[in-house]
PDB file of all heavy atoms in Angstrom:
ATOM      1  N   ASP P  55       5.385  30.352  29.917  1.00 76.00           N
ATOM      2  CA  ASP P  55       6.625  31.134  29.843  1.00 76.00           C
ATOM      3  C   ASP P  55       7.782  30.190  29.525  1.00 76.00           C
ATOM      4  O   ASP P  55       8.482  29.714  30.415  1.00 76.00           O
ATOM      5  CB  ASP P  55       6.867  31.848  31.171  1.00 76.00           C
ATOM      6  CG  ASP P  55       8.025  32.836  31.087  1.00 76.00           C
ATOM      7  OD1 ASP P  55       8.416  33.185  29.954  1.00 76.00           O
ATOM      8  OD2 ASP P  55       8.540  33.233  32.137  1.00 76.00           O
ATOM      9  N   PRO P  56       8.017  29.905  28.252  1.00 82.00           N
ATOM     10  CA  PRO P  56       9.007  28.892  27.882  1.00 82.00           C
ATOM     11  C   PRO P  56      10.438  29.371  28.084  1.00 82.00           C
ATOM     12  O   PRO P  56      10.753  30.549  27.918  1.00 82.00           O
ATOM     13  CB  PRO P  56       8.729  28.659  26.397  1.00 82.00           C
ATOM     14  CG  PRO P  56       8.185  29.964  25.918  1.00 82.00           C
ATOM     15  CD  PRO P  56       7.382  30.501  27.062  1.00 82.00           C
ATOM     16  N   ALA P  57      11.299  28.425  28.427  1.00 85.00           N
ATOM     17  CA  ALA P  57      12.725  28.717  28.488  1.00 85.00           C
ATOM     18  C   ALA P  57      13.354  28.600  27.104  1.00 85.00           C
ATOM     19  O   ALA P  57      14.328  29.288  26.787  1.00 85.00           O
ATOM     20  CB  ALA P  57      13.412  27.762  29.457  1.00 85.00           C
ATOM     21  N   ARG P  58      12.765  27.732  26.267  1.00 88.00           N
ATOM     22  CA  ARG P  58      13.290  27.525  24.915  1.00 88.00           C
ATOM     23  C   ARG P  58      12.118  27.449  23.944  1.00 88.00           C
ATOM     24  O   ARG P  58      11.239  26.598  24.089  1.00 88.00           O
ATOM     25  CB  ARG P  58      14.119  26.243  24.842  1.00 88.00           C
ATOM     26  CG  ARG P  58      14.818  26.069  23.500  1.00 88.00           C
ATOM     27  CD  ARG P  58      15.770  24.896  23.520  1.00 88.00           C
ATOM     28  NE  ARG P  58      16.468  24.787  22.244  1.00 88.00           N
ATOM     29  CZ  ARG P  58      16.596  23.666  21.558  1.00 88.00           C
ATOM     30  NH1 ARG P  58      16.105  22.529  22.049  1.00 88.00           N
ATOM     31  NH2 ARG P  58      17.234  23.637  20.405  1.00 88.00           N
ATOM     32  N   ALA P  59      12.094  28.351  22.986  1.00 89.00           N
ATOM     33  CA  ALA P  59      10.974  28.438  22.050  1.00 89.00           C
ATOM     34  C   ALA P  59      11.480  28.402  20.613  1.00 89.00           C
ATOM     35  O   ALA P  59      12.613  28.786  20.321  1.00 89.00           O
ATOM     36  CB  ALA P  59      10.178  29.716  22.295  1.00 89.00           C
ATOM     37  N   LEU P  60      10.611  27.952  19.724  1.00 91.00           N
ATOM     38  CA  LEU P  60      10.885  27.943  18.287  1.00 91.00           C
ATOM     39  C   LEU P  60       9.723  28.629  17.586  1.00 91.00           C
ATOM     40  O   LEU P  60       8.569  28.258  17.780  1.00 91.00           O
ATOM     41  CB  LEU P  60      11.029  26.507  17.771  1.00 91.00           C
ATOM     42  CG  LEU P  60      11.132  26.332  16.249  1.00 91.00           C
ATOM     43  CD1 LEU P  60      12.411  26.980  15.707  1.00 91.00           C
ATOM     44  CD2 LEU P  60      11.077  24.849  15.874  1.00 91.00           C
ATOM     45  N   VAL P  61      10.023  29.639  16.784  1.00 92.00           N
ATOM     46  CA  VAL P  61       9.016  30.362  16.010  1.00 92.00           C
ATOM     47  C   VAL P  61       9.288  30.107  14.534  1.00 92.00           C
ATOM     48  O   VAL P  61      10.392  30.373  14.038  1.00 92.00           O
ATOM     49  CB  VAL P  61       9.061  31.874  16.304  1.00 92.00           C
ATOM     50  CG1 VAL P  61       8.069  32.619  15.420  1.00 92.00           C
ATOM     51  CG2 VAL P  61       8.753  32.132  17.775  1.00 92.00           C
ATOM     52  N   ILE P  62       8.292  29.602  13.830  1.00 93.00           N
ATOM     53  CA  ILE P  62       8.438  29.264  12.418  1.00 93.00           C
ATOM     54  C   ILE P  62       7.476  30.116  11.599  1.00 93.00           C
ATOM     55  O   ILE P  62       6.283  30.173  11.884  1.00 93.00           O
ATOM     56  CB  ILE P  62       8.132  27.771  12.168  1.00 93.00           C
ATOM     57  CG1 ILE P  62       8.981  26.876  13.082  1.00 93.00           C
ATOM     58  CG2 ILE P  62       8.388  27.409  10.707  1.00 93.00           C
ATOM     59  CD1 ILE P  62       8.619  25.404  13.002  1.00 93.00           C
ATOM     60  N   GLY P  63       7.997  30.800  10.592  1.00 92.00           N
ATOM     61  CA  GLY P  63       7.153  31.533   9.663  1.00 92.00           C
ATOM     62  C   GLY P  63       6.928  32.990  10.001  1.00 92.00           C
ATOM     63  O   GLY P  63       6.130  33.661   9.338  1.00 92.00           O
ATOM     64  N   ASP P  64       7.595  33.518  11.019  1.00 92.00           N
ATOM     65  CA  ASP P  64       7.421  34.922  11.380  1.00 92.00           C
ATOM     66  C   ASP P  64       8.457  35.768  10.651  1.00 92.00           C
ATOM     67  O   ASP P  64       9.568  35.968  11.138  1.00 92.00           O
ATOM     68  CB  ASP P  64       7.547  35.098  12.897  1.00 92.00           C
ATOM     69  CG  ASP P  64       7.387  36.555  13.329  1.00 92.00           C
ATOM     70  OD1 ASP P  64       6.965  37.375  12.492  1.00 92.00           O
ATOM     71  OD2 ASP P  64       7.693  36.857  14.496  1.00 92.00           O
ATOM     72  N   PHE P  65       8.099  36.287   9.487  1.00 90.00           N
ATOM     73  CA  PHE P  65       9.057  37.055   8.701  1.00 90.00           C
ATOM     74  C   PHE P  65       9.383  38.397   9.342  1.00 90.00           C
ATOM     75  O   PHE P  65      10.379  39.023   9.017  1.00 90.00           O
ATOM     76  CB  PHE P  65       8.552  37.260   7.265  1.00 90.00           C
ATOM     77  CG  PHE P  65       7.247  37.986   7.142  1.00 90.00           C
ATOM     78  CD1 PHE P  65       7.185  39.372   7.235  1.00 90.00           C
ATOM     79  CD2 PHE P  65       6.072  37.294   6.908  1.00 90.00           C
ATOM     80  CE1 PHE P  65       5.987  40.044   7.111  1.00 90.00           C
ATOM     81  CE2 PHE P  65       4.867  37.957   6.775  1.00 90.00           C
ATOM     82  CZ  PHE P  65       4.823  39.338   6.871  1.00 90.00           C
ATOM     83  N   SER P  66       8.552  38.848  10.276  1.00 90.00           N
ATOM     84  CA  SER P  66       8.779  40.148  10.919  1.00 90.00           C
ATOM     85  C   SER P  66       9.643  40.057  12.173  1.00 90.00           C
ATOM     86  O   SER P  66      10.244  41.048  12.593  1.00 90.00           O
ATOM     87  CB  SER P  66       7.434  40.771  11.301  1.00 90.00           C
ATOM     88  OG  SER P  66       6.811  40.033  12.345  1.00 90.00           O
ATOM     89  N   GLY P  67       9.680  38.886  12.801  1.00 87.00           N
ATOM     90  CA  GLY P  67      10.402  38.726  14.053  1.00 87.00           C
ATOM     91  C   GLY P  67       9.681  39.311  15.250  1.00 87.00           C
ATOM     92  O   GLY P  67      10.227  39.338  16.357  1.00 87.00           O
ATOM     93  N   GLU P  68       8.430  39.740  15.071  1.00 90.00           N
ATOM     94  CA  GLU P  68       7.709  40.427  16.141  1.00 90.00           C
ATOM     95  C   GLU P  68       7.186  39.491  17.217  1.00 90.00           C
ATOM     96  O   GLU P  68       7.052  39.892  18.381  1.00 90.00           O
ATOM     97  CB  GLU P  68       6.545  41.228  15.550  1.00 90.00           C
ATOM     98  CG  GLU P  68       6.970  42.436  14.726  1.00 90.00           C
ATOM     99  CD  GLU P  68       7.772  43.427  15.545  1.00 90.00           C
ATOM    100  OE1 GLU P  68       7.416  43.673  16.714  1.00 90.00           O
ATOM    101  OE2 GLU P  68       8.769  43.960  15.021  1.00 90.00           O
TER     102      GLU P  68
END
Side-chain angles (χ1 to χ4, degrees):
D55 189 16
R58 187 172 182 228
L60 172 65
V61 176
I62 306 173
D64 179 12
F65 60 80
S66 68
E68 291 300 319

